[in-house]
Amino acid sequence: MIPRSMLLVSALLGLPLALSAADRPLVVAYVPNWIDLKVFAETIAYEKVTHLNIAFENPANAEGDLSFNPQDAALLAKAKARGVKVLVSVGGGSASGDKVLKARYFDLMGAPKRAGFAARLAAYVEAHGFDGLDVDIEGPSINADYGPFVLELAPVMKAKGKLLTAALSRGYGGDKVPPAALVGFDFVNIMAYDGKGYWSPNDPGQHSSLAYAKENVEWWLARGLPKGKAVLGVPFYGYGFGEAFKKRDYPYKDVVASHPGAEKTDQTGSTIWYNGMPTIQAKCLYAKEKELGGVMVWSLDSDARGELSLLTVIHETLIPKPDGK
């Protein structure tokens, strides 16, 4: 932790407070690689994030060789030049619903191929210059082999000096993750959102309230996840019901562009539910008070720019001011 004497000196001199990597809360942002990453990489406020997770790459064959989007390299170069760690994320919600990919993961995580798959993943991360691997295997793709696979993969990644993280949801497969597997991760991104959505059109409401976030965190802590490894996931999107219903999400940037003042609340129109600036701030304050590892964002490309940016809210809430508050 930063000594109080340093905080006082910084405040008296009016100097910005420089945080070490150990003291700075994590701000993990997912970036989808189906957008134009070359263009998007030029717009990221790198000083406001600690880690970027490129989503997603998946096994392209039965041997476990991962795909690689050439656009990933553009983001890698920009981020690493700014001191931001970049991980490649495997899996994803779509992969969990893909019969071919689900079967492929089951085969690769099974005992006969497990060690070989772990070695291929570690080699892939090293070859492409990633700082680590994020396991976003979700829902029906989590089976009895998930825990043994993570525990096989963790020492292989550690031996190469690489991070191993996960994205996990309490309600979408989390109960199938053995507590022992949590030991293998450097930190876990808790997907505390999607409590409601277009899949239940007759059950409108907030999909990621502050209370819901707290419930999810407490559930994972009770399963043995250390507070310092718990990273609270927040959504940069919402869902529409009633006249606003559609079978996809509403990016936050589109919500505030179409509904002036929407950034101040969590519901607008007829009817879109999302997280506005006050709720994102409240979640960040909770993460600080609970001494969690930090905050995660899905996904960075849905943020608004300028004074309505949710990433800016996260940054200004998590990073201490010069007076130490």
Side-chain angles (χ1 to χ4, degrees), residues 24 99 101 103 158 175 213 315 321:
R24 183 177 178 181
K99 291 183 179 180
L101 275 178
K158 185 175 182 180
D175 59 342
H315 177 72
K321 299 295 190 295

Side-chain angles (χ1 to χ4, degrees), residues 42-321:
E42 300 291 337
T43 70
I44 296 173
Y46 293 97
E47 72 279 5
K48 297 177 183 178
V49 297
T50 60
H51 298 70
L52 292 173
N53 288 356
I54 297 180
F56 295 97
E57 302 292 353
N58 281 297
N61 54 37
E63 288 70 42
D65 296 309
L66 288 191
S67 58
F68 182 76
N69 186 331
Q71 287 195 100
D72 294 355
L75 184 61
L76 263 166
K78 279 285 182 182
K80 297 191 80 167
R82 300 294 298 273
V84 174
K85 294 186 181 299
V86 182
L87 290 80
V88 60
S89 187
V90 298
S94 295
S96 297
D98 185 304
K99 291 183 179 180
V100 173
L101 275 178
K102 185 171 72 169
R104 188 170 292 163
Y105 270 114
F106 284 172
D107 180 49
L108 291 167
M109 292 191 300
K113 292 186 177 181
R114 187 180 299 146
F117 186 39
R120 283 178 184 270
L121 289 172
Y124 175 96
V125 167
E126 187 173 50
H128 291 290
F130 289 106
D131 294 292
L133 180 79
D134 177 63
V135 179
D136 194 2
I137 295 174
E138 306 177 19
S141 289
I142 299 176
N143 66 0
D145 287 318
Y146 180 94
F149 165 66
V150 170
L151 294 177
E152 178 81 40
L153 180 60
V156 180
M157 296 296 294
K158 185 175 182 180
K160 292 184 178 291
K162 302 296 183 179
L163 295 170
L164 180 63
T165 70
L168 290 171
S169 166
R170 171 188 177 181
Y172 195 51
D175 59 342
K176 293 185 288 185
V177 176
L182 301 177
V183 176
F185 297 119
D186 289 284
F187 57 85
V188 171
N189 300 300
I190 299 172
M191 295 188 284
Y193 38 70
D194 291 351
K196 296 179 182 289
Y198 58 78
W199 49 89
S200 299
N202 297 320
D203 185 26
Q206 177 57 260
H207 77 102
S208 183
S209 66
L210 176 60
Y212 185 77
K214 291 180 178 180
E215 290 169 5
N216 276 262
V217 168
E218 293 296 340
W219 189 83
W220 283 105
L221 297 184
R223 299 203 75 209
L225 181 65
K227 289 192 296 183
K229 287 188 177 184
V231 179
L232 173 59
V234 300
F236 279 15
Y237 65 92
Y239 294 113
F241 298 91
E243 294 180 8
F245 176 81
K246 62 179 180 178
K247 291 186 176 181
R248 58 171 298 175
D249 62 79
Y250 280 83
Y252 168 78
K253 63 184 179 184
D254 293 348
V255 173
V256 296
S258 301
H259 302 271
E263 71 279 358
K264 300 175 183 177
T265 183
D266 292 336
Q267 181 273 327
T268 191
S270 58
T271 302
I272 305 169
W273 295 87
Y274 55 97
N275 278 189
M277 297 172 81
T279 294
I280 293 296
Q281 182 182 48
K283 288 182 177 180
C284 291
L285 289 172
Y286 165 71
K288 285 180 67 174
E289 292 164 2
K290 194 72 176 177
E291 298 181 330
L292 303 182
V295 170
M296 173 271 280
V297 169
W298 179 275
S299 61
L300 193 57
D301 58 310
S302 293
D303 195 16
R305 298 186 187 179
E307 61 183 12
L308 301 186
S309 166
L310 295 179
L311 180 62
T312 297
V313 173
I314 292 171
H315 177 72
E316 293 182 348
T317 306
L318 291 182
I319 302 301
K321 299 295 190 295

Side-chain angles (χ1 to χ4, degrees), residues 4-17 321-324:
R4 182 164 180 79
S5 59
M6 289 179 62
L7 296 172
L8 292 173
V9 169
S10 179
L12 289 171
L13 297 178
L15 298 174
L17 183 63
K321 299 295 190 295
D323 60 4

